[in-house]
Amino acid sequence: MVDRTLRDFADLGLDEIIPSTMGEPFLYPDFAKLLRLCAELGICINVTTNGSFPGGGIDYWALLLAPVLSDIKFSVPTLPTQQQRANIQAYQYHKGEDSTTTLQMIVMESTLPSLEEWLQWAMDHGIDRVKFQFLRVHFEALQSESVLRSPESLARWHHKRERLEFLSQNKPIRLQFETEPAPDGITKNGVCPFLGKEAWILEDGEFQVCPHPLAWQGELGSFGNIQTTRLLELWQGKYLQEFIHNWDSYTPPLCRNCDFRVQS
């Protein structure tokens, strides 16, 4: 199914795929096969990993990644462990000339004191980008860790962000900060960065227009399944095209306050 879909879109100018395995991608048994297919078709791949490189180690995976990798994102919830730091440093020696390295960290109360140390480490080791994301609170026990929970905690984050921006001035590194959520019911300014540009295929073959978890639960409707219909047909189909055409005039409720929207 993956092979057929990528071959369908390769001739249409598919630039990149982002394999979201809902876990460590290098544990996926066919991941090496996927990397070889991307190399054959000239498609780049964007990978998020915890930096453990299971199933072969850095030397094995770096050889397969080098021809196709656009960006590798090392996602660690707190400051990386010594082993993670060692693996990231080792990877930096292997990375291809056209790829970038990103570190992703969760912004929460317990990580705020360490963010400057984290950024300095990244700058010292040639990291191209640091991405800061807010803690997603799914359990009441985590509420006290959220920097979005009160004006006071948000002010602490704003102060820390100013420090991070100051430290990175005139340095060859890019900082990317997640947009703060808008109040409930207020339409965010900006456009959807996914609609009509990306196709999201779930593990059961379901086609969705974006990575929002509620969209994956059917909040935006069903756009078809590639197990029964080729993705190319779904991509060019009437249902998706009407959804894209009507999005500006009738923005779905889920999209009105979506944190993924970006300034046009």
Side-chain angles (χ1 to χ4, degrees):
M1 190 166 59
V2 172
D3 185 289
R4 182 188 70 189
T5 300
L6 291 186
R7 291 185 187 280
D8 278 350
F9 275 79
D11 292 337
L12 297 179
L14 177 63
D15 295 319
E16 180 184 70
I17 64 169
I18 305 175
S20 179
T21 57
M22 307 303 287
E24 178 54 43
F26 298 118
L27 289 173
Y28 175 55
D30 291 324
F31 200 69
K33 186 185 299 184
L34 176 62
L35 294 175
R36 293 187 181 99
L37 177 62
C38 286
E40 175 192 340
L41 299 176
I43 298 171
C44 292
I45 192 166
N46 186 320
V47 175
T48 298
T49 174
N50 63 18
S52 58
F53 292 100
I58 294 172
D59 291 341
Y60 171 75
W61 288 114
L63 186 65
L64 292 172
L65 288 167
V68 295
L69 191 67
S70 58
D71 181 78
I72 187 167
K73 187 185 298 98
F74 293 99
S75 181
V76 289
T78 59
L79 278 173
T81 65
Q82 288 298 322
Q83 185 59 57
Q84 285 173 316
R85 294 185 193 211
N87 285 350
I88 295 170
Q89 288 176 248
Y91 174 77
Q92 288 293 84
Y93 288 109
H94 291 83
K95 80 172 191 177
E97 292 183 3
D98 297 328
S99 67
T100 55
T101 303
T102 297
L103 297 185
Q104 177 173 282
M105 191 168 186
I106 303 300
V107 176
M108 53 188 179
E109 289 286 0
S110 58
T111 62
L112 283 183
S114 304
L115 291 182
E116 290 168 62
E117 176 188 347
W118 163 250
L119 175 59
Q120 188 60 56
W121 185 89
M123 292 190 294
D124 290 343
H125 293 87
I127 303 301
D128 301 288
R129 177 179 64 146
V130 177
K131 186 176 181 181
F132 298 93
Q133 289 193 303
F134 295 120
L135 174 70
R136 296 288 188 270
V137 178
H138 299 293
F139 305 98
E140 185 62 32
L142 291 175
Q143 185 61 41
S144 63
E145 280 282 359
S146 173
V147 299
L148 304 174
R149 73 184 187 280
S150 70
E152 293 77 19
S153 60
L154 196 56
R156 285 194 293 275
W157 161 239
H158 290 163
H159 175 71
K160 181 63 66 174
R161 175 171 172 167
E162 289 175 1
R163 287 287 305 154
L164 296 169
E165 291 174 328
F166 176 78
L167 284 173
S168 64
Q169 282 183 357
N170 303 316
K171 300 294 195 306
I173 192 168
R174 181 164 67 94
L175 306 189
Q176 182 176 342
F177 299 98
E178 183 177 2
T179 303
E180 293 172 19
D184 288 346
I186 296 179
T187 301
K188 292 179 77 82
N189 294 323
V191 299
C192 176
F194 310 109
L195 194 60
K197 299 176 182 177
E198 297 186 5
W200 289 79
I201 308 302
L202 310 189
E203 67 275 7
D204 61 355
E206 187 75 13
F207 167 42
Q208 273 298 336
V209 294
C210 78
H212 197 293
L214 292 179
W216 291 12
Q217 294 175 25
E219 187 91 2
L220 297 178
S222 175
F223 294 87
N225 192 299
I226 68 169
Q227 294 200 66
T228 56
T229 308
R230 296 179 86 96
L231 179 58
L232 188 57
E233 290 183 47
L234 300 177
W235 183 259
Q236 298 173 337
K238 181 180 179 181
Y239 187 79
L240 175 62
Q241 296 309 310
E242 287 183 349
F243 184 87
I244 295 172
H245 179 74
N246 294 327
W247 191 84
D248 281 328
S249 57
Y250 174 68
T251 305
L254 178 62
C255 305
R256 293 176 194 169
N257 194 32
C258 180
D259 295 333
F260 287 124
R261 291 174 71 166
V262 297
Q263 295 301 314
S264 57

